[in-house]
Every structure is written in structure tokens, then in C-alpha cells.
Amino acid sequence: MSLQAKLTNALKEAMKAKDQIALESLRAIKSELLLAQTSGSQAELTEADEIKLLQKLVKQRKDAAAIFVEQNRTDLAEPELAQAKVIEQFLPAQLSAAEVEAVIQSIITEGNFSGMQAMGQVMGLANAKLAGSADGKTISSIVKQLLTT
């Protein structure tokens, strides 16, 4: 089932349940998808493009929530985190830190990389291999940790 079809079904369910947070989140996804499709860059969005778009929306929500928490505005942070959870339902299952570390370790040993000068190369390979199944921040921190040891 395509993302559009899943989104339409989820919107219907959220409307029936009168779930405002889910509705806001789903409408945000739909809006971003429409903007991406009509931007003229390509006729059809690939699954990878859709995953990137969803990850971007989740990251925006989490960043906003972090700022609100910093400013002691938990009343504003909670809806942002709730929206991030709704959007994450459409992302593929995320790998655990241990699984990500194992993949990155195999990349480092296969490519015989060492030292921080190889960070860019390892990050490029890791991002390509782990696209959609781990966020960039996690990948980056694990790559740094493995290359410095």
C-alpha cells in the first residue's frame, strides 16, 4: 500500500475518532507530499523521497519540542512530541543503536577505514545503507565513537 493510501485511511480514522493531534500531523504530511509532488523536480516521488520527507517532519517536531522544553513550555512541547509519534508510524521500523553500530562497524572493517579523516566516507556509506532505518544524529555519533577508538 502506498503512502498516499495509508495517509488517506489514517485521515479517515482520525476524523472519525475526532483526534485533533493526529489530524494536524496527517494534514502536515499530506501538505508536504503535495508540495513535493508539485515542485516540478520529478513526476513521482520515490519511496526514499517519501521517507526523507517524513524524517524531516519528525525532526522538525522533535527540534521544536526540545526548544519548548528548554524554555520551560512543556504545554507546547507535548503536542509536538505527540505529532512526531503520529508521523513516525509511517516510517519504517527504526534500528536499535546496537544494530546501527554493527552495520557501521562492518562498513569500517570492509573499507579498512581508520581515524577521523575517514568520517565523511563512512558517513556517506552509512547514510546510504541505513537510509530510513536510523536518524543521521545517531549514525553520526556512532561513527565518531567507532573512528576515535
Side-chain angles (χ1 to χ4, degrees), residues 43-97:
E44 190 69 32
L45 287 177
T46 64
E47 189 174 334
D49 293 335
E50 291 173 347
I51 290 172
K52 283 180 188 173
L53 186 126
L54 291 172
Q55 286 177 326
K56 180 182 108 178
L57 290 172
V58 169
K59 184 177 182 330
Q60 286 174 344
R61 301 302 185 284
K62 287 183 177 179
D63 289 348
I67 291 170
F68 289 139
V69 167
E70 260 180 34
Q71 298 172 348
N72 295 323
R73 296 295 311 265
T74 55
D75 58 319
L76 296 175
E78 288 170 7
E80 292 290 334
L81 291 173
Q83 284 188 15
K85 271 189 183 166
V86 171
I87 296 168
E88 284 175 340
Q89 294 172 359
F90 296 96
L91 284 170
Q94 298 291 298
L95 296 176
S96 69

mmCIF file of all heavy atoms in Angstrom, residues 43-97:
data_model
loop_
_atom_site.group_PDB
_atom_site.id
_atom_site.type_symbol
_atom_site.label_atom_id
_atom_site.label_comp_id
_atom_site.label_asym_id
_atom_site.label_seq_id
_atom_site.Cartn_x
_atom_site.Cartn_y
_atom_site.Cartn_z
ATOM 1 N N ALA A 43 8.214 13.752 -11.586
ATOM 2 C CA ALA A 43 6.798 13.446 -11.720
ATOM 3 C C ALA A 43 6.264 12.677 -10.509
ATOM 4 O O ALA A 43 5.199 12.985 -9.996
ATOM 5 C CB ALA A 43 6.557 12.644 -12.991
ATOM 6 N N GLU A 44 6.983 11.692 -10.066
ATOM 7 C CA GLU A 44 6.516 10.824 -8.991
ATOM 8 C C GLU A 44 7.568 10.756 -7.892
ATOM 9 O O GLU A 44 8.755 10.657 -8.170
ATOM 10 C CB GLU A 44 6.250 9.429 -9.548
ATOM 11 C CG GLU A 44 5.533 8.494 -8.614
ATOM 12 C CD GLU A 44 4.083 8.874 -8.365
ATOM 13 O OE1 GLU A 44 3.443 9.425 -9.279
ATOM 14 O OE2 GLU A 44 3.607 8.629 -7.252
ATOM 15 N N LEU A 45 7.132 10.811 -6.644
ATOM 16 C CA LEU A 45 8.057 10.675 -5.526
ATOM 17 C C LEU A 45 8.403 9.204 -5.322
ATOM 18 O O LEU A 45 7.523 8.349 -5.351
ATOM 19 C CB LEU A 45 7.419 11.201 -4.238
ATOM 20 C CG LEU A 45 7.266 12.702 -4.088
ATOM 21 C CD1 LEU A 45 6.540 13.016 -2.790
ATOM 22 C CD2 LEU A 45 8.605 13.392 -4.096
ATOM 23 N N THR A 46 9.666 8.933 -5.101
ATOM 24 C CA THR A 46 10.074 7.565 -4.808
ATOM 25 C C THR A 46 9.836 7.291 -3.322
ATOM 26 O O THR A 46 9.612 8.215 -2.539
ATOM 27 C CB THR A 46 11.565 7.347 -5.125
ATOM 28 O OG1 THR A 46 12.335 8.192 -4.247
ATOM 29 C CG2 THR A 46 11.881 7.657 -6.572
ATOM 30 N N GLU A 47 9.925 6.035 -2.949
ATOM 31 C CA GLU A 47 9.741 5.678 -1.541
ATOM 32 C C GLU A 47 10.832 6.317 -0.682
ATOM 33 O O GLU A 47 10.572 6.754 0.433
ATOM 34 C CB GLU A 47 9.758 4.163 -1.381
ATOM 35 C CG GLU A 47 9.353 3.696 -0.009
ATOM 36 C CD GLU A 47 9.243 2.187 0.108
ATOM 37 O OE1 GLU A 47 9.001 1.522 -0.908
ATOM 38 O OE2 GLU A 47 9.401 1.688 1.237
ATOM 39 N N ALA A 48 12.037 6.405 -1.213
ATOM 40 C CA ALA A 48 13.137 7.033 -0.475
ATOM 41 C C ALA A 48 12.845 8.515 -0.233
ATOM 42 O O ALA A 48 13.132 9.048 0.848
ATOM 43 C CB ALA A 48 14.443 6.870 -1.234
ATOM 44 N N ASP A 49 12.273 9.182 -1.239
ATOM 45 C CA ASP A 49 11.915 10.597 -1.086
ATOM 46 C C ASP A 49 10.847 10.769 -0.007
ATOM 47 O O ASP A 49 10.900 11.706 0.794
ATOM 48 C CB ASP A 49 11.394 11.174 -2.409
ATOM 49 C CG ASP A 49 12.462 11.258 -3.475
ATOM 50 O OD1 ASP A 49 13.660 11.343 -3.126
ATOM 51 O OD2 ASP A 49 12.098 11.243 -4.672
ATOM 52 N N GLU A 50 9.879 9.860 -0.008
ATOM 53 C CA GLU A 50 8.820 9.924 0.992
ATOM 54 C C GLU A 50 9.381 9.727 2.394
ATOM 55 O O GLU A 50 9.008 10.429 3.330
ATOM 56 C CB GLU A 50 7.748 8.867 0.708
ATOM 57 C CG GLU A 50 6.943 9.144 -0.546
ATOM 58 C CD GLU A 50 6.006 8.019 -0.926
ATOM 59 O OE1 GLU A 50 6.138 6.898 -0.367
ATOM 60 O OE2 GLU A 50 5.138 8.245 -1.777
ATOM 61 N N ILE A 51 10.319 8.796 2.535
ATOM 62 C CA ILE A 51 10.933 8.536 3.844
ATOM 63 C C ILE A 51 11.709 9.764 4.310
ATOM 64 O O ILE A 51 11.613 10.159 5.474
ATOM 65 C CB ILE A 51 11.831 7.281 3.787
ATOM 66 C CG1 ILE A 51 10.955 6.035 3.643
ATOM 67 C CG2 ILE A 51 12.729 7.181 5.013
ATOM 68 C CD1 ILE A 51 11.718 4.763 3.382
ATOM 69 N N LYS A 52 12.462 10.383 3.410
ATOM 70 C CA LYS A 52 13.214 11.591 3.763
ATOM 71 C C LYS A 52 12.267 12.693 4.229
ATOM 72 O O LYS A 52 12.547 13.404 5.194
ATOM 73 C CB LYS A 52 14.037 12.085 2.571
ATOM 74 C CG LYS A 52 15.282 11.286 2.317
ATOM 75 C CD LYS A 52 16.041 11.850 1.130
ATOM 76 C CE LYS A 52 17.182 10.941 0.732
ATOM 77 N NZ LYS A 52 17.824 11.374 -0.511
ATOM 78 N N LEU A 53 11.157 12.831 3.524
ATOM 79 C CA LEU A 53 10.179 13.858 3.853
ATOM 80 C C LEU A 53 9.591 13.601 5.249
ATOM 81 O O LEU A 53 9.495 14.523 6.064
ATOM 82 C CB LEU A 53 9.069 13.849 2.793
ATOM 83 C CG LEU A 53 8.049 14.945 2.903
ATOM 84 C CD1 LEU A 53 7.980 15.670 1.573
ATOM 85 C CD2 LEU A 53 6.704 14.372 3.243
ATOM 86 N N LEU A 54 9.244 12.352 5.527
ATOM 87 C CA LEU A 54 8.692 12.007 6.838
ATOM 88 C C LEU A 54 9.724 12.219 7.940
ATOM 89 O O LEU A 54 9.403 12.725 9.023
ATOM 90 C CB LEU A 54 8.198 10.562 6.843
ATOM 91 C CG LEU A 54 6.964 10.274 5.979
ATOM 92 C CD1 LEU A 54 6.712 8.777 5.912
ATOM 93 C CD2 LEU A 54 5.752 11.004 6.505
ATOM 94 N N GLN A 55 10.977 11.846 7.668
ATOM 95 C CA GLN A 55 12.036 12.055 8.661
ATOM 96 C C GLN A 55 12.221 13.541 8.949
ATOM 97 O O GLN A 55 12.440 13.938 10.094
ATOM 98 C CB GLN A 55 13.351 11.452 8.179
ATOM 99 C CG GLN A 55 13.389 9.953 8.257
ATOM 100 C CD GLN A 55 14.673 9.373 7.701
ATOM 101 O OE1 GLN A 55 15.244 9.896 6.749
ATOM 102 N NE2 GLN A 55 15.128 8.275 8.293
ATOM 103 N N LYS A 56 12.121 14.356 7.910
ATOM 104 C CA LYS A 56 12.255 15.795 8.080
ATOM 105 C C LYS A 56 11.140 16.333 8.979
ATOM 106 O O LYS A 56 11.392 17.143 9.888
ATOM 107 C CB LYS A 56 12.215 16.491 6.713
ATOM 108 C CG LYS A 56 12.353 17.996 6.773
ATOM 109 C CD LYS A 56 12.260 18.608 5.391
ATOM 110 C CE LYS A 56 10.950 19.312 5.306
ATOM 111 N NZ LYS A 56 10.688 19.997 4.068
ATOM 112 N N LEU A 57 9.918 15.861 8.763
ATOM 113 C CA LEU A 57 8.794 16.317 9.579
ATOM 114 C C LEU A 57 8.958 15.900 11.039
ATOM 115 O O LEU A 57 8.688 16.684 11.951
ATOM 116 C CB LEU A 57 7.475 15.766 9.014
ATOM 117 C CG LEU A 57 7.030 16.354 7.677
ATOM 118 C CD1 LEU A 57 5.823 15.596 7.142
ATOM 119 C CD2 LEU A 57 6.715 17.827 7.821
ATOM 120 N N VAL A 58 9.416 14.667 11.266
ATOM 121 C CA VAL A 58 9.638 14.197 12.632
ATOM 122 C C VAL A 58 10.729 15.027 13.297
ATOM 123 O O VAL A 58 10.596 15.456 14.449
ATOM 124 C CB VAL A 58 9.998 12.690 12.647
ATOM 125 C CG1 VAL A 58 10.488 12.256 14.017
ATOM 126 C CG2 VAL A 58 8.804 11.858 12.222
ATOM 127 N N LYS A 59 11.810 15.280 12.563
ATOM 128 C CA LYS A 59 12.920 16.067 13.118
ATOM 129 C C LYS A 59 12.457 17.476 13.476
ATOM 130 O O LYS A 59 12.821 18.006 14.534
ATOM 131 C CB LYS A 59 14.070 16.132 12.119
ATOM 132 C CG LYS A 59 15.304 16.844 12.662
ATOM 133 C CD LYS A 59 16.420 16.820 11.655
ATOM 134 C CE LYS A 59 17.698 17.442 12.104
ATOM 135 N NZ LYS A 59 17.663 18.516 13.047
ATOM 136 N N GLN A 60 11.630 18.090 12.626
ATOM 137 C CA GLN A 60 11.113 19.425 12.917
ATOM 138 C C GLN A 60 10.322 19.432 14.213
ATOM 139 O O GLN A 60 10.489 20.323 15.055
ATOM 140 C CB GLN A 60 10.211 19.910 11.777
ATOM 141 C CG GLN A 60 10.929 20.312 10.530
ATOM 142 C CD GLN A 60 9.979 20.642 9.389
ATOM 143 O OE1 GLN A 60 8.795 20.302 9.419
ATOM 144 N NE2 GLN A 60 10.496 21.301 8.362
ATOM 145 N N ARG A 61 9.474 18.419 14.382
ATOM 146 C CA ARG A 61 8.647 18.338 15.592
ATOM 147 C C ARG A 61 9.508 18.137 16.837
ATOM 148 O O ARG A 61 9.286 18.767 17.861
ATOM 149 C CB ARG A 61 7.628 17.197 15.501
ATOM 150 C CG ARG A 61 6.636 17.252 14.357
ATOM 151 C CD ARG A 61 5.822 18.519 14.366
ATOM 152 N NE ARG A 61 4.770 18.590 13.375
ATOM 153 C CZ ARG A 61 4.928 18.827 12.076
ATOM 154 N NH1 ARG A 61 6.130 18.951 11.561
ATOM 155 N NH2 ARG A 61 3.895 18.938 11.274
ATOM 156 N N LYS A 62 10.500 17.256 16.735
ATOM 157 C CA LYS A 62 11.355 16.983 17.896
ATOM 158 C C LYS A 62 12.220 18.184 18.243
ATOM 159 O O LYS A 62 12.437 18.485 19.425
ATOM 160 C CB LYS A 62 12.210 15.743 17.652
ATOM 161 C CG LYS A 62 11.394 14.465 17.719
ATOM 162 C CD LYS A 62 12.252 13.236 17.556
ATOM 163 C CE LYS A 62 11.404 11.981 17.698
ATOM 164 N NZ LYS A 62 12.185 10.756 17.530
ATOM 165 N N ASP A 63 12.722 18.882 17.230
ATOM 166 C CA ASP A 63 13.525 20.078 17.485
ATOM 167 C C ASP A 63 12.691 21.161 18.154
ATOM 168 O O ASP A 63 13.139 21.829 19.090
ATOM 169 C CB ASP A 63 14.133 20.620 16.183
ATOM 170 C CG ASP A 63 15.244 19.739 15.637
ATOM 171 O OD1 ASP A 63 15.715 18.839 16.368
ATOM 172 O OD2 ASP A 63 15.635 19.943 14.465
ATOM 173 N N ALA A 64 11.458 21.342 17.654
ATOM 174 C CA ALA A 64 10.570 22.335 18.253
ATOM 175 C C ALA A 64 10.263 21.970 19.708
ATOM 176 O O ALA A 64 10.277 22.837 20.592
ATOM 177 C CB ALA A 64 9.274 22.442 17.455
ATOM 178 N N ALA A 65 10.017 20.688 19.959
ATOM 179 C CA ALA A 65 9.738 20.238 21.326
ATOM 180 C C ALA A 65 10.937 20.490 22.237
ATOM 181 O O ALA A 65 10.773 20.917 23.384
ATOM 182 C CB ALA A 65 9.359 18.766 21.328
ATOM 183 N N ALA A 66 12.145 20.251 21.730
ATOM 184 C CA ALA A 66 13.352 20.479 22.532
ATOM 185 C C ALA A 66 13.487 21.956 22.894
ATOM 186 O O ALA A 66 13.842 22.301 24.036
ATOM 187 C CB ALA A 66 14.582 20.006 21.777
ATOM 188 N N ILE A 67 13.179 22.816 21.950
ATOM 189 C CA ILE A 67 13.242 24.268 22.217
ATOM 190 C C ILE A 67 12.205 24.652 23.263
ATOM 191 O O ILE A 67 12.489 25.429 24.186
ATOM 192 C CB ILE A 67 13.051 25.066 20.911
ATOM 193 C CG1 ILE A 67 14.266 24.874 20.002
ATOM 194 C CG2 ILE A 67 12.819 26.548 21.203
ATOM 195 C CD1 ILE A 67 14.087 25.411 18.602
ATOM 196 N N PHE A 68 11.000 24.102 23.138
ATOM 197 C CA PHE A 68 9.952 24.414 24.108
ATOM 198 C C PHE A 68 10.319 23.919 25.506
ATOM 199 O O PHE A 68 10.061 24.597 26.499
ATOM 200 C CB PHE A 68 8.605 23.820 23.676
ATOM 201 C CG PHE A 68 7.993 24.506 22.481
ATOM 202 C CD1 PHE A 68 7.378 23.757 21.491
ATOM 203 C CD2 PHE A 68 8.027 25.878 22.335
ATOM 204 C CE1 PHE A 68 6.806 24.369 20.386
ATOM 205 C CE2 PHE A 68 7.462 26.509 21.234
ATOM 206 C CZ PHE A 68 6.855 25.750 20.257
ATOM 207 N N VAL A 69 10.931 22.748 25.598
ATOM 208 C CA VAL A 69 11.340 22.210 26.893
ATOM 209 C C VAL A 69 12.423 23.102 27.501
ATOM 210 O O VAL A 69 12.411 23.382 28.700
ATOM 211 C CB VAL A 69 11.822 20.743 26.766
ATOM 212 C CG1 VAL A 69 12.537 20.278 28.021
ATOM 213 C CG2 VAL A 69 10.639 19.836 26.448
ATOM 214 N N GLU A 70 13.363 23.570 26.669
ATOM 215 C CA GLU A 70 14.415 24.479 27.128
ATOM 216 C C GLU A 70 13.825 25.729 27.749
ATOM 217 O O GLU A 70 14.356 26.279 28.696
ATOM 218 C CB GLU A 70 15.289 24.912 25.946
ATOM 219 C CG GLU A 70 16.584 24.197 25.815
ATOM 220 C CD GLU A 70 17.374 24.706 24.613
ATOM 221 O OE1 GLU A 70 17.292 25.911 24.286
ATOM 222 O OE2 GLU A 70 18.048 23.884 23.985
ATOM 223 N N GLN A 71 12.717 26.181 27.172
ATOM 224 C CA GLN A 71 12.080 27.416 27.629
ATOM 225 C C GLN A 71 10.995 27.145 28.676
ATOM 226 O O GLN A 71 10.172 28.023 28.950
ATOM 227 C CB GLN A 71 11.486 28.163 26.441
ATOM 228 C CG GLN A 71 12.523 28.584 25.435
ATOM 229 C CD GLN A 71 11.920 29.150 24.164
ATOM 230 O OE1 GLN A 71 10.728 29.048 23.921
ATOM 231 N NE2 GLN A 71 12.753 29.750 23.342
ATOM 232 N N ASN A 72 11.008 25.926 29.233
ATOM 233 C CA ASN A 72 10.037 25.519 30.244
ATOM 234 C C ASN A 72 8.593 25.661 29.769
ATOM 235 O O ASN A 72 7.715 26.096 30.508
ATOM 236 C CB ASN A 72 10.246 26.293 31.555
ATOM 237 C CG ASN A 72 11.561 25.972 32.198
ATOM 238 O OD1 ASN A 72 12.003 24.819 32.156
ATOM 239 N ND2 ASN A 72 12.207 26.969 32.774
ATOM 240 N N ARG A 73 8.351 25.312 28.508
ATOM 241 C CA ARG A 73 6.995 25.363 27.938
ATOM 242 C C ARG A 73 6.562 23.948 27.576
ATOM 243 O O ARG A 73 6.368 23.618 26.414
ATOM 244 C CB ARG A 73 6.967 26.261 26.694
ATOM 245 C CG ARG A 73 7.282 27.715 26.922
ATOM 246 C CD ARG A 73 6.230 28.425 27.788
ATOM 247 N NE ARG A 73 4.861 28.221 27.385
ATOM 248 C CZ ARG A 73 4.155 29.040 26.602
ATOM 249 N NH1 ARG A 73 4.711 30.126 26.129
ATOM 250 N NH2 ARG A 73 2.903 28.763 26.294
ATOM 251 N N THR A 74 6.415 23.091 28.578
ATOM 252 C CA THR A 74 6.021 21.706 28.314
ATOM 253 C C THR A 74 4.626 21.617 27.727
ATOM 254 O O THR A 74 4.311 20.644 27.051
ATOM 255 C CB THR A 74 6.094 20.868 29.604
ATOM 256 O OG1 THR A 74 5.310 21.499 30.606
ATOM 257 C CG2 THR A 74 7.526 20.707 30.072
ATOM 258 N N ASP A 75 3.794 22.650 27.984
ATOM 259 C CA ASP A 75 2.455 22.661 27.400
ATOM 260 C C ASP A 75 2.519 22.724 25.876
ATOM 261 O O ASP A 75 1.635 22.208 25.189
ATOM 262 C CB ASP A 75 1.636 23.832 27.946
ATOM 263 C CG ASP A 75 2.293 25.184 27.694
ATOM 264 O OD1 ASP A 75 3.533 25.280 27.839
ATOM 265 O OD2 ASP A 75 1.567 26.139 27.351
ATOM 266 N N LEU A 76 3.562 23.311 25.331
ATOM 267 C CA LEU A 76 3.735 23.380 23.876
ATOM 268 C C LEU A 76 4.569 22.209 23.352
ATOM 269 O O LEU A 76 4.426 21.815 22.197
ATOM 270 C CB LEU A 76 4.409 24.701 23.483
ATOM 271 C CG LEU A 76 3.615 25.970 23.777
ATOM 272 C CD1 LEU A 76 4.452 27.197 23.446
ATOM 273 C CD2 LEU A 76 2.308 25.997 23.004
ATOM 274 N N ALA A 77 5.419 21.657 24.194
ATOM 275 C CA ALA A 77 6.284 20.547 23.763
ATOM 276 C C ALA A 77 5.495 19.253 23.604
ATOM 277 O O ALA A 77 5.759 18.476 22.674
ATOM 278 C CB ALA A 77 7.422 20.351 24.759
ATOM 279 N N GLU A 78 4.531 19.015 24.461
ATOM 280 C CA GLU A 78 3.780 17.759 24.426
ATOM 281 C C GLU A 78 3.053 17.534 23.098
ATOM 282 O O GLU A 78 3.128 16.434 22.538
ATOM 283 C CB GLU A 78 2.814 17.687 25.606
ATOM 284 C CG GLU A 78 3.531 17.464 26.927
ATOM 285 C CD GLU A 78 2.625 17.620 28.131
ATOM 286 O OE1 GLU A 78 1.397 17.780 27.959
ATOM 287 O OE2 GLU A 78 3.152 17.583 29.258
ATOM 288 N N PRO A 79 2.331 18.533 22.565
ATOM 289 C CA PRO A 79 1.676 18.290 21.268
ATOM 290 C C PRO A 79 2.675 18.036 20.133
ATOM 291 O O PRO A 79 2.392 17.242 19.224
ATOM 292 C CB PRO A 79 0.888 19.574 20.997
ATOM 293 C CG PRO A 79 0.821 20.297 22.280
ATOM 294 C CD PRO A 79 1.938 19.808 23.132
ATOM 295 N N GLU A 80 3.832 18.676 20.188
ATOM 296 C CA GLU A 80 4.853 18.461 19.155
ATOM 297 C C GLU A 80 5.351 17.019 19.194
ATOM 298 O O GLU A 80 5.510 16.379 18.156
ATOM 299 C CB GLU A 80 6.031 19.426 19.341
ATOM 300 C CG GLU A 80 5.708 20.880 19.089
ATOM 301 C CD GLU A 80 5.435 21.198 17.629
ATOM 302 O OE1 GLU A 80 5.938 20.499 16.734
ATOM 303 O OE2 GLU A 80 4.699 22.173 17.386
ATOM 304 N N LEU A 81 5.596 16.502 20.390
ATOM 305 C CA LEU A 81 6.052 15.123 20.525
ATOM 306 C C LEU A 81 4.960 14.135 20.122
ATOM 307 O O LEU A 81 5.247 13.097 19.514
ATOM 308 C CB LEU A 81 6.517 14.856 21.966
ATOM 309 C CG LEU A 81 7.791 15.583 22.383
ATOM 310 C CD1 LEU A 81 8.065 15.401 23.868
ATOM 311 C CD2 LEU A 81 8.974 15.117 21.560
ATOM 312 N N ALA A 82 3.720 14.479 20.432
ATOM 313 C CA ALA A 82 2.605 13.613 20.029
ATOM 314 C C ALA A 82 2.483 13.569 18.508
ATOM 315 O O ALA A 82 2.241 12.509 17.920
ATOM 316 C CB ALA A 82 1.310 14.113 20.658
ATOM 317 N N GLN A 83 2.670 14.719 17.858
ATOM 318 C CA GLN A 83 2.633 14.753 16.393
ATOM 319 C C GLN A 83 3.785 13.945 15.813
ATOM 320 O O GLN A 83 3.608 13.246 14.814
ATOM 321 C CB GLN A 83 2.692 16.195 15.892
ATOM 322 C CG GLN A 83 1.390 16.942 16.048
ATOM 323 C CD GLN A 83 1.420 18.301 15.375
ATOM 324 O OE1 GLN A 83 2.298 18.591 14.568
ATOM 325 N NE2 GLN A 83 0.451 19.137 15.706
ATOM 326 N N ALA A 84 4.955 14.038 16.427
ATOM 327 C CA ALA A 84 6.113 13.263 15.939
ATOM 328 C C ALA A 84 5.812 11.768 16.005
ATOM 329 O O ALA A 84 6.151 11.017 15.083
ATOM 330 C CB ALA A 84 7.354 13.597 16.760
ATOM 331 N N LYS A 85 5.139 11.327 17.080
ATOM 332 C CA LYS A 85 4.778 9.913 17.205
ATOM 333 C C LYS A 85 3.827 9.485 16.101
ATOM 334 O O LYS A 85 3.957 8.390 15.556
ATOM 335 C CB LYS A 85 4.126 9.644 18.563
ATOM 336 C CG LYS A 85 5.076 9.302 19.642
ATOM 337 C CD LYS A 85 4.336 8.850 20.888
ATOM 338 C CE LYS A 85 5.335 8.591 21.991
ATOM 339 N NZ LYS A 85 4.713 8.463 23.286
ATOM 340 N N VAL A 86 2.873 10.337 15.773
ATOM 341 C CA VAL A 86 1.914 10.009 14.710
ATOM 342 C C VAL A 86 2.642 9.879 13.375
ATOM 343 O O VAL A 86 2.412 8.936 12.616
ATOM 344 C CB VAL A 86 0.797 11.081 14.620
ATOM 345 C CG1 VAL A 86 -0.070 10.867 13.387
ATOM 346 C CG2 VAL A 86 -0.065 11.059 15.879
ATOM 347 N N ILE A 87 3.540 10.797 13.096
ATOM 348 C CA ILE A 87 4.271 10.783 11.823
ATOM 349 C C ILE A 87 5.197 9.566 11.752
ATOM 350 O O ILE A 87 5.345 8.948 10.698
ATOM 351 C CB ILE A 87 5.059 12.096 11.627
ATOM 352 C CG1 ILE A 87 4.083 13.278 11.535
ATOM 353 C CG2 ILE A 87 5.923 12.038 10.370
ATOM 354 C CD1 ILE A 87 4.731 14.639 11.616
ATOM 355 N N GLU A 88 5.809 9.196 12.885
ATOM 356 C CA GLU A 88 6.730 8.053 12.912
ATOM 357 C C GLU A 88 6.049 6.736 12.549
ATOM 358 O O GLU A 88 6.713 5.793 12.124
ATOM 359 C CB GLU A 88 7.376 7.927 14.303
ATOM 360 C CG GLU A 88 8.459 8.938 14.552
ATOM 361 C CD GLU A 88 9.015 8.890 15.963
ATOM 362 O OE1 GLU A 88 8.334 8.360 16.865
ATOM 363 O OE2 GLU A 88 10.124 9.399 16.160
ATOM 364 N N GLN A 89 4.726 6.670 12.682
ATOM 365 C CA GLN A 89 4.001 5.454 12.323
ATOM 366 C C GLN A 89 4.153 5.123 10.843
ATOM 367 O O GLN A 89 4.024 3.969 10.451
ATOM 368 C CB GLN A 89 2.507 5.600 12.637
ATOM 369 C CG GLN A 89 2.198 5.728 14.093
ATOM 370 C CD GLN A 89 0.736 6.066 14.333
ATOM 371 O OE1 GLN A 89 -0.039 6.229 13.408
ATOM 372 N NE2 GLN A 89 0.369 6.170 15.597
ATOM 373 N N PHE A 90 4.425 6.119 10.031
ATOM 374 C CA PHE A 90 4.545 5.916 8.591
ATOM 375 C C PHE A 90 5.980 5.636 8.156
ATOM 376 O O PHE A 90 6.225 5.370 6.987
ATOM 377 C CB PHE A 90 3.996 7.139 7.832
ATOM 378 C CG PHE A 90 2.526 7.334 8.050
ATOM 379 C CD1 PHE A 90 2.060 8.202 9.020
ATOM 380 C CD2 PHE A 90 1.607 6.632 7.293
ATOM 381 C CE1 PHE A 90 0.710 8.366 9.229
ATOM 382 C CE2 PHE A 90 0.251 6.793 7.496
ATOM 383 C CZ PHE A 90 -0.204 7.656 8.469
ATOM 384 N N LEU A 91 6.920 5.715 9.096
ATOM 385 C CA LEU A 91 8.328 5.422 8.799
ATOM 386 C C LEU A 91 8.596 3.938 8.991
ATOM 387 O O LEU A 91 7.931 3.282 9.784
ATOM 388 C CB LEU A 91 9.243 6.223 9.730
ATOM 389 C CG LEU A 91 9.398 7.694 9.416
ATOM 390 C CD1 LEU A 91 10.122 8.402 10.549
ATOM 391 C CD2 LEU A 91 10.132 7.899 8.121
ATOM 392 N N PRO A 92 9.589 3.399 8.268
ATOM 393 C CA PRO A 92 9.968 2.004 8.522
ATOM 394 C C PRO A 92 10.502 1.858 9.950
ATOM 395 O O PRO A 92 10.932 2.836 10.556
ATOM 396 C CB PRO A 92 11.073 1.729 7.499
ATOM 397 C CG PRO A 92 11.331 2.986 6.785
ATOM 398 C CD PRO A 92 10.367 4.015 7.234
ATOM 399 N N ALA A 93 10.481 0.651 10.451
ATOM 400 C CA ALA A 93 10.955 0.402 11.812
ATOM 401 C C ALA A 93 12.394 0.880 11.959
ATOM 402 O O ALA A 93 13.236 0.625 11.100
ATOM 403 C CB ALA A 93 10.854 -1.077 12.130
ATOM 404 N N GLN A 94 12.649 1.578 13.055
ATOM 405 C CA GLN A 94 13.981 2.109 13.311
ATOM 406 C C GLN A 94 14.852 1.032 13.955
ATOM 407 O O GLN A 94 14.384 0.262 14.784
ATOM 408 C CB GLN A 94 13.890 3.322 14.241
ATOM 409 C CG GLN A 94 13.090 4.482 13.668
ATOM 410 C CD GLN A 94 13.787 5.140 12.501
ATOM 411 O OE1 GLN A 94 14.879 5.666 12.655
ATOM 412 N NE2 GLN A 94 13.173 5.110 11.336
ATOM 413 N N LEU A 95 16.111 0.998 13.556
ATOM 414 C CA LEU A 95 17.062 0.040 14.130
ATOM 415 C C LEU A 95 17.503 0.519 15.507
ATOM 416 O O LEU A 95 17.554 1.729 15.765
ATOM 417 C CB LEU A 95 18.285 -0.092 13.222
ATOM 418 C CG LEU A 95 18.070 -0.669 11.837
ATOM 419 C CD1 LEU A 95 19.373 -0.624 11.040
ATOM 420 C CD2 LEU A 95 17.569 -2.098 11.915
ATOM 421 N N SER A 96 17.862 -0.409 16.353
ATOM 422 C CA SER A 96 18.385 -0.042 17.667
ATOM 423 C C SER A 96 19.813 0.471 17.494
ATOM 424 O O SER A 96 20.448 0.261 16.453
ATOM 425 C CB SER A 96 18.376 -1.253 18.597
ATOM 426 O OG SER A 96 19.333 -2.196 18.168
ATOM 427 N N ALA A 97 20.329 1.103 18.539
ATOM 428 C CA ALA A 97 21.698 1.635 18.483
ATOM 429 C C ALA A 97 22.708 0.513 18.267
ATOM 430 O O ALA A 97 23.688 0.683 17.536
ATOM 431 C CB ALA A 97 22.007 2.403 19.756
#
